[in-house]
Each structure stands twice: as structure tokens, then as C-alpha cells.
Amino acid sequence: MSKILTSFILFITISITFGQQANPAVFFTQRDQINKFHTISDLQSLKKGELINLYQDRVKEIMTILPFLSLTNEAGVRLGDIGIKEDSRHLKVLKNTTESIRDNLETIDTMVEELIPYADTEKIISTILYYEEIIKKIRIGVDGNF
């Protein structure tokens, strides 16, 4: 009985682990998107380090979604959902693109961490608000659907 229980627990653990891996046919996920927009007064109450984190999150969303914008602006959309065959060639192109985006984001994160702290707090706040407006426009899409 304990062998069956142990096997069952192992099976569930493996299923959960592999189930949480990114789907290779998905353009981007909800995790790549910010979940809150701010007002200027919200941002003015934050410390510079917190502002820099918000800055990075907004850059990440824009950089992740922008290359796919003519295909989709919605998280979780698969190649097949928009009529692209999920064959090895298309999956490879998508994988290479997402890896390239991730590599670029690592470089940008380093730049943000090293250089943006020297920016005036007011300019960081203005840029965050600007990025949030861009993100809103990206999410609304061409048809104006939010």
C-alpha cells in the first residue's frame, strides 16, 4: 500500500512540475504582464529602489509583447489559436525569439540596475507613467478591445 501511495505522490509531483513549464507554442504568458497601473501620487510615495523595480517590470512587458503585437496582444495565445501550424519550424522560430528576448532583457536589467539609479526620481516616475500608457495601448489592441 505504501508503494502505491509513494508512486502516486511521485506521479503527482512530476505532473505538477512538467505542467508548470512554459508551453513552447505560446507567445507570452500572463506572468510577463504587469498587474497594476499607477497614478503619479502612487509613484511619488515610493522609494527609488521600488520605482526602479516597477520600471524594469514595464520594460519587460513592452519588450516581451512588442515583437508579437501584429499577431496577438493577449497572454496565453498559442500559434494554433491564430492559424499558425505548430510544426517544428514554427516552434523553433518562436523558441529562438523568446530566448533572444530573455537574453536582451537580462542585458537591459543590468543597464537599469546600474544606470537608472542616477536618473532623477521625477524622470523615473514620468517614464513609468509613459510605459504604462504604452502598455495600455498594447493591451487595447488595434480593434480597441481591452
Side-chain angles (χ1 to χ4, degrees):
M1 184 67 171
S2 69
K3 287 183 182 182
I4 293 172
L5 183 59
T6 304
S7 297
F8 180 72
I9 291 171
L10 180 63
F11 173 76
I12 295 296
T13 304
I14 290 171
S15 297
I16 290 171
T17 302
F18 286 106
Q20 291 178 345
Q21 290 182 351
N23 185 328
V26 171
F27 293 101
F28 56 92
T29 65
Q30 192 77 39
R31 287 181 304 212
D32 297 317
Q33 296 180 301
I34 61 172
N35 55 19
K36 183 179 179 189
F37 295 96
H38 297 84
T39 64
I40 193 165
S41 59
D42 292 340
L43 298 174
Q44 287 172 334
S45 67
L46 299 176
K47 296 179 181 177
K48 199 174 222 181
E50 295 169 310
L51 292 170
I52 290 170
N53 289 335
L54 292 175
Y55 186 101
Q56 284 177 306
D57 292 341
R58 277 117 192 96
V59 168
K60 177 185 177 193
E61 179 168 341
I62 293 168
M63 295 284 296
T64 301
I65 297 171
L66 210 52
F68 304 117
L69 196 52
S70 63
L71 298 167
T72 185
N73 64 342
E74 296 177 22
V77 173
R78 300 172 53 93
L79 290 168
D81 294 338
I82 60 170
I84 300 174
K85 188 174 179 182
E86 292 183 16
D87 60 16
S88 61
R89 184 174 65 116
H90 293 136
L91 290 171
K92 182 178 179 180
V93 168
L94 183 57
K95 179 182 179 234
N96 290 342
T97 302
T98 55
E99 286 175 0
S100 176
I101 290 168
R102 188 175 50 247
D103 292 344
N104 286 329
L105 284 171
E106 287 176 17
T107 302
I108 290 170
D109 277 347
T110 301
M111 182 281 301
V112 169
E113 291 168 2
E114 293 293 324
L115 301 180
I116 299 304
Y118 292 100
D120 292 334
T121 302
E122 297 79 27
K123 288 187 178 181
I124 296 172
I125 289 171
S126 296
T127 305
I128 290 169
L129 292 171
Y130 179 73
Y131 286 163
E132 288 185 359
E133 287 302 313
I134 292 170
I135 291 167
K136 288 175 188 175
K137 289 181 188 321
I138 287 171
R139 290 187 187 180
I140 289 171
V142 178
D143 300 330
N145 300 328
F146 205 103

